[in-house]
Amino acid sequence: MSKKIIITGGAGFIGSHVVRLFVNKYPNYTIINVDALTYAGNLENLKDIDTQPNYFFEKVNILDVKALEDVFDKYGVTDVIHLAAESHVDRSIVSPLDFVYTNIIGTVNLLNTAKNKWAADLSKHRFYHISTDEVYGSLGETGLFTETTAYDPNSPYSASKASSDHFVRAYRETYHMQTVVSNCSNNYGPFHFPEKLIPLFIHNIIQEKPLPVYGDGLYTRDWLYVKDHALAIDLVFHDGKDGETYNIGGFNEWKNIDLVKLLCKQMDEKLGREIGHSEKLITYIKDRPGHDRRYAIDATKINKELGWKPSVTFEQGLSETIDWFLSNQEWLQNVTSGNYQNYYQSMYSNR
Ligand code: NAD
Ligand code: DAU
């Protein structure tokens, strides 16, 4: 069937990989990228596919219900894959309300619009909500998050994502919308905005600036290459069971300081610097408030039910990521200087 899919947040980091995958893999689908182009949205991420006939961009804020309704009407939208969000924990500590608006109210706007537009037969449409492992809170030294782990969010970001997940559940239970949710661990890869650990540190190593490690550096994250996340999203969207949640992770836990040391070593090798040179940039700084100690995903369910597993090792994925950033320093410069925000104006003002 020829689907007409809204992908929200398609100009962001993960969303751009999902849009690219769907546009290239499903030429008979219409892919509508709905994105407000906040500081995190960058259409340069999609330069390679933005002239494809099955790709459309709509600069729409998910807080604007009328604009959302217009997009549903204009394209006859059949399905939604919802990634748009405020995504950075440190920003949520400074401006929690931005996260309430976009992540909670924006998600409810989208659910409500979809419910109304699909009222004739809700069973023909799917609403896929992309969430995070942070909703489960923090783990001790052992154990993994499963799909039945109780929600226990600690940051304004994770509380807002948890709330949006609950609304998705409520729309399913109350109105019988066909929904599916996935909760993923930390992604890394090309187009990652340089406010998050890995791209920030790649940028700082290139520039020989300090590498600010929070607290004791012994916090643990489970890292997944973003292209593997996009492949998982494709599988869950097409084959995931209605009403189910799927945890997605890399089976790949790293303490921050060990990851940073590996990154320094790989970058020294690639930049032809003496090994140990970049490690000298490591600077321990004040901890993030409410910093979750450890995240780790049990991705057995998606592996058993849908046959998904990560395709690359962390060393491979990290190496490819560094290579991408080193060959795309103009992208990095445009983002850090703010120039990327002119791209929309130059590309779309006459379309
Ligand atoms: P990102 O910050 O890189 O991109 C977010 C995108 O959403 C941007 O293009 C931005 O312009 C858009 N956006 C923000 N507010 C909007 C609004 N009000 N209306 C329309 N568009 C808006 O985020 P990301 O890292 O790609 O994350 C995408 C999704 O995946 C989020 O829902 C996030 O919670 C989830 N997630 C991220 C990770 C990760 O490691 N990055 C892991 C698990 C889950
Ligand atoms: O777990 C999934 C989540 O991963 C996603 O839902 C979020 O959208 C995404 O931003 C990410 O959240 P984290 O807070 O884990 O990612 P971040 O890259 O900000 O930080 C990773 C770890 O590195 C964390 O323990 C904090 C630490 N850190 C981060 C930065 C930016 C530092 O020590 N120094 C830094 O400068």
Side-chain angles (χ1 to χ4, degrees):
M1 183 194 149
S2 172
K3 296 176 185 293
K4 298 178 168 63
I5 308 169
I6 283 184
I7 298 181
T8 69
F13 165 48
I14 301 171
S16 62
H17 287 277
V18 178
V19 166
R20 176 176 299 99
L21 177 68
F22 274 66
V23 164
N24 287 332
K25 187 169 172 187
Y26 302 106
N28 60 328
Y29 289 4
T30 301
I31 303 300
I32 308 121
N33 174 11
V34 167
D35 198 298
L37 300 184
T38 68
Y39 80 93
N42 182 354
L43 289 175
E44 283 190 44
N45 298 357
L46 292 166
K47 259 198 306 209
D48 55 328
I49 58 103
D50 72 1
T51 54
Q52 301 268 49
N54 62 336
Y55 171 75
F56 298 87
F57 173 68
E58 295 287 348
K59 186 173 187 296
V60 164
N61 194 312
I62 57 170
L63 293 172
D64 183 343
V65 174
K66 172 74 173 64
L68 282 179
E69 288 172 347
D70 289 347
V71 174
F72 271 76
D73 290 342
K74 180 172 168 187
Y75 296 94
V77 171
T78 58
D79 302 87
V80 170
I81 303 178
H82 177 37
L83 294 109
E86 288 292 340
S87 70
H88 191 36
V89 174
D90 292 333
R91 286 180 189 257
S92 82
I93 295 165
V94 179
S95 311
L97 269 180
D98 292 342
F99 288 68
V100 172
Y101 290 130
T102 287
N103 297 0
I104 306 177
I105 299 174
T107 299
V108 178
N109 281 342
L110 203 54
L111 281 163
N112 219 38
T113 307
K115 171 178 82 66
N116 294 339
K117 295 293 175 191
W118 297 340
D121 189 352
L122 279 170
S123 71
K124 290 199 173 124
H125 307 280
R126 168 158 274 193
F127 189 104
Y128 179 7
H129 177 63
I130 308 297
S131 192
T132 170
D133 61 359
E134 301 204 10
V135 297
Y136 300 122
S138 186
L139 289 164
E141 288 291 308
T142 58
L144 299 170
F145 296 133
T146 71
E147 288 79 2
T148 55
T149 301
Y151 275 33
D152 192 17
N154 293 316
S155 71
Y157 164 68
S158 52
S160 68
K161 290 296 291 187
S163 175
S164 64
D165 295 6
H166 291 324
F167 270 102
V168 174
R169 179 187 166 83
Y171 269 68
R172 174 173 178 78
E173 294 301 316
T174 310
Y175 307 111
H176 311 297
M177 278 182 79
Q178 307 286 309
T179 62
V180 65
V181 177
S182 58
N183 295 71
C184 190
S185 64
N186 287 61
N187 286 215
Y188 68 96
F191 303 112
H192 206 179
F193 197 87
E195 63 182 353
K196 310 277 168 68
L197 180 75
I198 290 179
L200 175 70
F201 280 31
I202 290 175
H203 174 257
N204 286 12
I205 291 170
I206 294 171
Q207 306 267 325
E208 303 205 62
K209 287 185 177 163
L211 305 176
V213 172
Y214 297 162
D216 61 8
L218 300 177
Y219 294 84
T220 300
R221 297 291 183 265
D222 171 0
W223 293 92
L224 178 67
Y225 195 45
V226 64
K227 293 181 189 178
D228 278 331
H229 188 190
L231 291 170
I233 288 173
D234 180 15
L235 273 179
V236 172
F237 176 72
H238 287 98
D239 301 332
K241 289 198 199 112
D242 274 321
E244 291 290 321
T245 290
Y246 294 88
N247 279 359
I248 305 171
F251 292 108
N252 178 42
E253 289 183 52
W254 285 81
K255 288 195 169 39
N256 290 342
I257 191 63
D258 295 335
L259 184 161
V260 170
K261 286 183 178 165
L262 174 67
L263 182 65
C264 287
K265 181 167 171 287
Q266 287 200 356
M267 289 211 52
D268 282 345
E269 282 164 4
K270 288 177 194 288
L271 291 167
R273 293 177 184 164
E274 192 191 336
I275 302 294
H277 181 87
S278 298
E279 266 196 32
K280 293 190 196 122
L281 299 169
I282 293 173
T283 311
Y284 288 92
I285 64 161
K286 194 166 161 284
D287 213 345
R288 170 187 280 175
H291 199 169
D292 286 332
R293 193 63 169 169
R294 175 172 166 258
Y295 303 143
I297 282 276
D298 180 350
T300 305
K301 177 176 170 180
I302 187 170
N303 175 251
K304 287 228 164 89
E305 286 189 15
L306 305 181
W308 176 89
K309 63 175 196 272
S311 71
V312 293
T313 65
F314 188 54
E315 284 76 2
Q316 277 172 315
L318 191 62
S319 173
E320 276 182 32
T321 302
I322 298 168
D323 289 344
W324 185 87
F325 275 97
L326 291 177
S327 339
N328 288 276
Q329 292 198 43
E330 199 187 341
W331 181 92
L332 202 49
Q333 266 159 19
N334 282 346
V335 169
T336 48
S337 71
N339 277 348
Y340 68 105
Q341 286 168 327
N342 299 331
Y343 185 79
Y344 172 75
Q345 193 57 26
S346 66
M347 292 297 290
Y348 285 84
S349 54
N350 297 324
R351 288 194 196 179

